[in-house]
Amino acid sequence: MNEFDLIVVGGGPGGIFTAITAAERGFKVALLEKNKRIGNKILVAGSGKCNLTHTGKPKDFSDKYGQNGKFLKEALNKYSPEMLKMFFKENGLPLVLVEETGKYFPETFSSLDVVDLLKRKMLTLGIKIIEGIKIEGIQKNLEIFSIFTDKGLYKCDNLVLATGGKSYPGVGTTGDGYVMAKELGHKIVPPKPALSPIYVRDYFFQELSGISFQNVKITIWKENKKVIEKKGAVLLTHTNFSGPGILDNSRFVESESQLEINYIGKEYEILNKELIEEMNKDGKKTIKKVLSYYFLPERFIKTILSILEISEELKMAELSKEKRESLVKLLTSNKMEITKVGSFEMAMVTRGGVSLDEVNAKTMESKKIQGLYLVGELLDVDGDTGGYNIQAACSTGVLAGKSMRKKERE
Ligand SMILES: Cc1cc2nc3c(=O)[nH]c(=O)nc-3n(C[C@H](O)[C@H](O)[C@H](O)COP(=O)(O)OP(=O)(O)OC[C@H]3O[C@@H](n4cnc5c(N)ncnc54)[C@H](O)[C@@H]3O)c2cc1C
């Protein structure tokens, strides 16, 4: 009989950790995954190395998820990064910290090892994993969920939707969960691509693809108000701004926003003053030479001077006040009109999703339908790069798995 205490729809970290937690409590569990194998998104995570979590305590995580982050407080406290690390250690794949970034990876730096471990763990616990299944409809009648699929009818007392978001559809996440949740009566906050490159009007760094800046100040503006300001790495590509700092900030882009980058780590007044001092000290030095003191890549210096129509060989004494000020402005506060954020095809996560108002943050249970739980990226909460999204999926999954009730079967 295809009857279970729990059916989990979606074999990503959220679904897998729910299934494991419930099975450890003695639940009869099935996990339904539409792909031929579970964990496709884990396989691509961290460029195949799988950045599972980040250094820090749950309270250090709270500001990494933006305003909706408070929804995750209970989940992160009940299943902290320490506990996730312990899980992998106890199951034979310890996580290692990469000090410079604060990211944790499996010691083998292999996503495949993570998926293998999780699959083995589920099979050991007796979880029925059904891959390559198509869900055709879900109904709830008299406390029982019926799941109609191309492989027949499945029934369960508890149902978890863990289908992820809409980004990176190539790995299976095509937003199916939004349709299912909506049909079950849930409100969906319109999904948008996030952790994606930012495109600006009149991008002038096409030729500088590959150049990156570490730990620079990035600000998103809307209607002359600062939306967010975060430091991080910026990568110039052929067509857009990318790199972890840009991806993180992309989560806050709305229509008609602007992107501002400070490439040099100094404020306008300071850099302006320093250039005036250089000019007074030795007016014969070329502007190119002086800019090289700031550790800016040579190709970048050439490009910005050319944009501002300043000759590289121009002597400091010959640099007009007007040109100096536009140079300082470009280096310290290059403000550009954002035309778009990279599409769902390239976005690493989805912003938006099942509205948090209708989900109990202490259990992950739907406030509308008893026995229905919603976990992971499907929810309207998303995090920065660095392991925060997988941690959130695992923590919400474990919380759901711990909270659900088991019915006595005859
Ligand atoms: C390229 C890339 C790199 C990333 N790197 C990292 C990283 O290093 N660290 C990090 O923390 N986060 C990373 N992320 C984000 C992270 O992978 C996700 O936020 C996380 O996997 C979400 O977990 P989830 O369980 O909610 O959903 P997912 O992992 O997306 O899993 C959902 C599962 O549900 C399945 N599914 C969907 N619809 C159906 C259906 N109708 N029926 C059955 N099954 C269905 C999908 O096929 C999928 O297997 C990355 C994302 C991308 C795209």
Side-chain angles (χ1 to χ4, degrees):
M1 278 292 268
N2 286 335
E3 285 182 18
F4 296 86
D5 298 316
L6 164 66
I7 289 186
V8 176
V9 181
I16 294 172
F17 274 78
T18 317
I20 290 175
T21 308
E24 281 174 340
R25 291 178 56 209
F27 282 53
K28 183 181 174 200
V29 183
L31 183 141
L32 315 185
E33 165 58 54
K34 75 171 183 188
N35 287 331
K36 285 203 186 80
R37 57 180 180 182
I38 60 159
N40 266 1
K41 204 169 254 179
I42 300 177
L43 290 179
V44 296
S47 307
K49 297 189 182 122
C50 205
N51 168 208
L52 285 157
T53 188
H54 201 92
T55 184
K57 302 225 167 349
K59 70 174 170 43
D60 306 319
F61 276 50
S62 59
D63 69 335
K64 307 296 180 197
Y65 301 96
Q67 287 202 330
N68 287 354
K70 51 187 178 307
F71 177 86
L72 295 175
K73 196 171 168 209
E74 184 85 7
L76 288 167
N77 278 329
K78 289 256 165 76
Y79 198 69
S80 64
E82 273 316 308
M83 291 161 95
L84 186 65
K85 280 182 249 164
M86 189 57 76
F87 170 89
F88 280 97
K89 191 170 175 205
E90 284 173 0
N91 286 284
L93 185 62
L95 305 191
V96 290
L97 173 65
V98 174
E99 297 273 359
E100 308 87 76
T101 57
K103 296 178 182 178
Y104 274 94
F105 293 86
E107 65 173 359
T108 55
F109 288 90
S110 159
S111 292
L112 196 57
D113 290 347
V114 172
V115 176
D116 283 349
L117 179 154
L118 294 174
K119 192 160 188 177
R120 246 183 296 121
K121 179 83 185 173
M122 285 200 287
L123 292 174
T124 311
L125 287 166
I127 296 168
K128 188 163 175 149
I129 304 171
I130 303 152
E131 292 162 318
I133 188 166
K134 186 164 185 282
I135 291 165
E136 289 158 352
I138 299 175
Q139 279 175 11
K140 189 181 181 202
N141 283 315
L142 304 171
E143 309 290 300
I144 304 281
F145 290 95
S146 299
I147 297 139
F148 302 90
T149 80
D150 62 346
K151 293 190 193 313
L153 175 64
Y154 288 78
K155 292 191 173 201
C156 58
D157 303 323
N158 294 284
L159 173 68
V160 171
L161 295 185
T163 48
K166 225 183 130 150
S167 52
Y168 242 66
V171 298
T173 39
T174 47
D176 303 6
Y178 304 136
V179 180
M180 295 176 198
K182 202 169 166 192
E183 281 174 5
L184 289 163
H186 274 269
K187 226 172 29 205
I188 308 296
V189 175
K192 288 188 198 157
L195 296 189
S196 204
I198 294 180
Y199 292 76
V200 298
R201 193 167 303 290
D202 302 324
Y203 180 69
F204 39 60
F205 295 132
Q206 289 88 344
E207 306 299 322
L208 302 187
S209 178
I211 286 183
S212 60
F213 299 86
Q214 300 309 313
N215 206 29
V216 296
K217 192 166 82 185
I218 305 160
T219 315
I220 302 292
W221 293 86
K222 179 159 167 91
E223 287 162 2
N224 292 326
K225 285 205 194 93
K226 244 184 220 181
V227 178
I228 186 94
E229 184 172 283
K230 279 180 181 233
K231 281 193 161 182
V234 172
L235 171 71
L236 307 181
T237 80
H238 286 299
T239 51
N240 56 42
F241 289 98
S242 192
I246 292 288
L247 300 182
D248 288 348
N249 279 274
S250 74
R251 297 173 47 228
F252 302 91
V253 173
E254 304 282 339
S255 61
E256 294 173 25
S257 306
Q258 286 115 25
L259 167 69
E260 181 182 334
I261 302 177
N262 180 333
Y263 301 98
I264 209 152
K266 285 179 193 272
E267 294 309 318
Y268 179 95
E269 289 72 24
I270 304 213
L271 182 63
N272 197 31
K273 193 164 149 252
E274 287 180 359
L275 292 188
I276 294 171
E277 280 167 9
E278 280 296 338
M279 184 178 72
N280 292 336
K281 215 162 59 187
D282 183 358
K284 289 201 203 82
K285 260 189 210 157
T286 64
I287 180 67
K288 188 173 85 175
K289 176 92 185 145
V290 171
L291 289 182
S292 71
Y293 301 157
Y294 292 93
F295 303 105
L296 293 167
E298 198 183 331
R299 283 197 294 144
F300 179 76
I301 295 176
K302 281 180 183 232
T303 302
I304 55 163
L305 290 177
S306 134
I307 291 161
L308 297 171
E309 296 177 346
I310 301 172
S311 156
E312 292 171 30
E313 302 308 326
L314 192 80
K315 309 264 184 300
M316 286 303 283
E318 295 160 359
L319 183 66
S320 69
K321 177 170 181 279
E322 188 200 1
K323 289 279 183 201
R324 185 187 69 240
E325 287 179 352
S326 34
L327 175 63
V328 173
K329 190 151 191 281
L330 198 153
L331 288 172
T332 59
S333 57
N334 183 20
K335 205 166 179 182
M336 297 156 279
E337 192 188 325
I338 297 176
T339 51
K340 62 176 181 181
V341 165
S343 65
F344 280 116
E345 271 63 32
M346 56 174 86
M348 283 162 73
V349 297
T350 308
R351 196 161 173 71
V354 172
S355 169
L356 303 180
D357 301 343
E358 298 172 348
V359 181
N360 183 340
K362 292 200 158 53
T363 59
M364 297 298 135
E365 188 173 16
S366 159
K367 290 181 186 170
K368 306 205 112 189
I369 297 189
Q370 210 184 11
L372 172 67
Y373 293 78
L374 303 117
V375 305
E377 205 183 306
L378 174 67
L379 294 164
D380 177 22
V381 59
D382 56 288
D384 281 352
T385 54
Y388 297 106
N389 286 294
I390 291 185
Q391 177 70 56
C394 298
S395 294
T396 51
V398 170
L399 188 55
K402 277 187 178 160
S403 309
M404 57 189 58
R405 295 162 294 272
K406 189 164 184 274
K407 287 208 195 101
E408 288 312 314
R409 292 181 174 277
E410 278 112 54

